[in-house]
Amino acid sequence: MQIPDPALVLLVGAAGSGKSTWAAEHYRPTEVVSSDALRALVGSGTADLDASNDAFEILDRVVTGRSRRGLTVVVDTLGLDAQRRAAWAALARSAGLPTVAVVFDTPAAVCRARNAARDRPVPASVLGTQLQRVRDVRTELEAEGWEVHVVGGEASEPSSLGSPASS
Ligand code: ATP
Ligand code: MG
């Protein structure tokens, strides 16, 4: 998988699909901006949803600052909010940065198992909705002008070798 650099790299995937792990493997910590980390920074923890607005305000400022400087920024959120995606894409494009979406097509059963093993699991119904939305989002991303890459989420899994029709 060849991702341009610098670029705005949007991670898209359900809880437990492996987004943050992948980002840590491929990018420097300062290149990654995470809504979970910012919720923990301005609120009581990664799951403090009351802190979301403050967290996203900071996230937007980080995307703005890094884009303007032509620096890679990896946006680690669910990536499922079309309005937020549009705002980040506009920032990147006005700075001349390519907009890349990395979709985590991790099997639902793997996400569910990882989620269940976590300290504070996302409710099963919420995860189910996220998984469905991730399945539908690829065509939306392409229509929005993102360069879409798909990863299987598990390095050793055969499914990660299958390429989507679009790539
Ligand atoms: P969230 O949306 O909740 O932040 P996430 O998509 O960032 O989830 P991670 O936190 O990266 O998911 O991964 C969830 C769990 O799965 C972690 O315990 C991590 O160690 C494990 N994991 C992630 N990627 C892999 C992988 N490629 N192989 C094996 N385990 C993995
Ligand atoms: Mg994460």
Side-chain angles (χ1 to χ4, degrees), residues 13-22 36 76 78 114 118 153-155:
S17 61
K19 301 180 297 295
S20 302
T21 302
W22 182 90
D36 276 347
D76 184 1
L78 290 176
R114 288 179 185 161
R118 280 179 155 182
E154 276 199 287

Side-chain angles (χ1 to χ4, degrees), residues 131-153:
L131 287 162
Q132 182 58 53
R133 286 171 68 199
V134 171
R135 278 191 285 275
D136 296 338
V137 80
R138 265 196 243 178
T139 44
E140 291 173 41
L141 291 166
E142 274 156 15
E144 292 166 13
W146 297 86
E147 174 184 326
V148 178
H149 295 259
V150 179
V151 301

Side-chain angles (χ1 to χ4, degrees), residues 3-4 7-11 98-102 146-149:
I3 294 181
L8 183 147
V9 180
L10 174 77
L11 309 186
T99 51
V100 178
V102 179
W146 297 86
E147 174 184 326
V148 178
H149 295 259

Side-chain angles (χ1 to χ4, degrees), residues 8 23 32 46 51 56 76 83 86-87 95 98 116 119 124 139 143:
L8 183 147
V32 182
T46 59
F56 275 95
D76 184 1
Q83 235 175 309
D119 268 358
T139 44

Side-chain angles (χ1 to χ4, degrees), residues 67-129:
S67 299
R68 274 196 197 142
R69 291 177 178 81
L71 297 169
T72 285
V73 57
V74 180
V75 179
D76 184 1
T77 69
L78 290 176
L80 294 171
D81 185 315
Q83 235 175 309
R84 290 202 165 109
R85 286 200 304 264
W88 298 325
L91 288 169
R93 285 170 193 150
S94 69
L97 283 183
T99 51
V100 178
V102 179
V103 178
F104 290 77
D105 191 20
T106 310
V110 173
C111 293
R112 288 206 185 87
R114 288 179 185 161
N115 181 54
R118 280 179 155 182
D119 268 358
R120 241 185 263 127
V122 171
S125 63
V126 173
L127 182 58
T129 303

